[in-house]
């Protein structure tokens, strides 16, 4: 049986080794750039006094969501995280999650738009997206760790690979479901393809795209603990540390901080009309 086994794993290993040998300067440059960007944003978040940050989040909740309940929740959740001593880790996690969501949208939105306009391309892309979402997330860490080294960057890259399928699918869905009569009306008035995209399709698909952002953020948060295994800072580290030492108290507190942050981000970025 061993003699007839297809050496697929060896092929992948050979390919990754080839990338390491021939593209080390390139991957080092990407790693240094991403690490610098995340560190800069994290330092900016930590530069803000916690009270000032809480006031900023409350202002966002009131202005964009028009929700007093969300504002009250933001105060209670962030004050509890601060009291438990996980403020620094929460800001590190927030920076990682927001950067992952940003990259996912910058890459995923154009791919989703192109796929909606080219059905054949989406049929080829769909099994790839299925594979990206079903392959165990630990598998992503092996090649990213080899290519980018220990730290926050392999965690970020793995998070992007895991979460990017959501904005691609939902952007494709939103653009594909734009009523044909609206598109025909736009064409009859002489609208160009660019005008149809920006004035008809994207506004009509805004709710679906916003749902893609929310899902992307939630999927990114689900990778926090896994990213900590390759050296990424944030709330995942105390969870892993508590797991290794069987520290129930610390594990529960860090896990609670992740849940509180996830609910807050979900409510702020939630698709639909502000209430």
């Amino acid at each position: 049986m061993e003699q007839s086994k297809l050496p697929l794993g060896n092929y992948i290993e050979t390919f990754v080794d080839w990338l390491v040998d021939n593209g080390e300067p390139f991957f080092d440059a990407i790693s240094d750039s991403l690490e610098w960007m995340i560190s800069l944003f994290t330092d900016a978040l930590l530069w803000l006094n916690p009270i000032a940050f809480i006031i900023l989040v409350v202002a966002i909740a009131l202005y964009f969501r028009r929700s007093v309940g969300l504002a009250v929740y933001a105060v209670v959740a962030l004050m509890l995280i601060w009291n438990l001593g996980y403020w620094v880790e929460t800001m590190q996690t927030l920076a990682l999650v927001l950067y992952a969501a940003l990259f996912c949208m910058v890459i995923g939105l154009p791919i989703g738009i192109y796929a909606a306009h080219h059905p054949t391309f989406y049929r080829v892309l769909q099994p790839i997206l299925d594979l990206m979402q079903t392959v165990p997330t630990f598998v992503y860490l092996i090649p990213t760790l080899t290519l980018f080294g220990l730290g926050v960057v392999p965690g970020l890259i793995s998070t992007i690979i895991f979460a990017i399928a959501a904005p691609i699918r939902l952007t494709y869905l939103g653009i594909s479901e734009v009523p044909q009569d609206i598109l025909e009306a736009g064409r009859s008035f002489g609208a160009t393809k660019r005008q149809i995209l920006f004035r008809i399709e994207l506004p009509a698909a805004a709710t679906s795209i916003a749902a893609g952002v929310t899902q992307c953020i939630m999927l990114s948060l689900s990778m926090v603990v896994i990213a900590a295994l390759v050296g990424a800072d944030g709330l995942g580290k105390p969870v892993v540390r508590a797991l290794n030492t069987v520290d129930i108290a610390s594990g529960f507190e860090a896990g609670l901080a992740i849940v509180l942050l996830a609910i807050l981000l979900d409510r702020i970025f939630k698709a639909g009309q502000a209430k």
Side-chain angles (χ1 to χ4, degrees):
M1 187 66 181
E2 288 291 330
Q3 294 178 350
S4 61
K5 177 184 175 182
L6 183 67
L8 182 59
N10 293 333
Y11 294 153
I12 299 298
E13 183 179 3
T14 301
F15 176 66
V16 172
D17 290 340
W18 179 84
L19 288 177
V20 172
D21 294 337
N22 295 276
E24 185 175 358
F26 173 72
F27 291 112
D28 286 345
I30 292 178
S31 179
D32 293 341
S33 300
L34 291 176
E35 188 170 358
W36 176 79
M37 290 167 61
I38 296 174
S39 298
L40 189 66
F41 187 43
T42 304
D43 291 342
L45 291 175
L46 292 174
W47 175 80
L48 280 174
N49 183 276
I51 297 297
F53 182 84
I54 293 172
I55 292 173
L56 177 62
V57 174
V58 168
I60 291 173
L62 292 175
Y63 182 79
F64 290 102
R65 308 307 301 176
R66 293 181 174 84
S67 174
V68 176
L70 178 58
V72 173
Y73 171 79
V75 172
V76 174
L78 293 174
M79 289 293 290
L80 180 58
I81 291 173
W82 188 17
N83 177 264
L84 292 174
Y86 291 105
W87 186 262
V88 173
E89 290 84 356
T90 299
M91 294 300 103
Q92 292 170 338
T93 295
L94 182 61
L96 176 63
V97 168
L98 292 182
Y99 258 110
L102 176 63
F103 279 111
C104 285
M105 294 309 299
V106 169
I107 300 171
L109 188 62
I111 294 176
I113 293 172
Y114 185 84
H117 293 151
H118 300 82
T120 303
F121 172 74
Y122 185 72
R123 284 194 291 271
V124 175
L125 182 65
Q126 193 169 11
I128 299 175
L129 298 178
D130 293 337
L131 183 67
M132 292 167 63
Q133 289 188 302
T134 54
V135 169
T137 50
F138 286 97
V139 176
Y140 297 141
L141 298 178
I142 301 172
T144 54
L145 182 62
T146 303
L147 294 174
F148 299 101
L150 197 66
V152 68
V153 175
L156 175 65
I157 300 296
S158 299
T159 301
I160 292 172
I161 295 172
F162 178 67
I164 197 172
I168 293 176
R169 290 185 190 276
L170 287 167
T171 299
Y172 164 82
L173 182 65
I175 298 292
S176 299
E177 291 186 345
V178 176
Q180 287 297 318
D181 54 347
I182 298 178
L183 298 177
E184 290 299 330
R187 296 188 188 101
S188 66
F189 281 101
T192 64
K193 290 183 178 180
R194 180 184 294 271
Q195 290 172 331
I196 290 175
L197 174 63
F198 286 99
R199 297 185 182 182
I200 298 177
E201 291 180 327
L202 289 180
T207 300
S208 181
I209 294 173
V213 175
T214 304
Q215 283 198 18
C216 183
I217 291 174
M218 294 301 103
L219 290 170
S220 299
L221 269 171
S222 70
M223 289 286 289
V224 166
V225 176
I226 296 174
L229 296 175
V230 291
D233 293 325
L235 291 167
K237 272 194 172 180
V239 173
V240 173
R241 193 181 307 119
L243 180 64
N244 292 332
T245 59
V246 198
D247 188 343
I248 298 175
S250 297
F252 177 80
E253 290 175 352
L256 178 62
I258 295 174
V259 171
L260 293 173
L261 180 62
I263 295 173
L264 180 60
L265 292 176
D266 177 68
R267 296 300 182 270
I268 289 178
F269 289 95
K270 191 175 182 62
Q273 297 296 322
K275 294 178 175 60

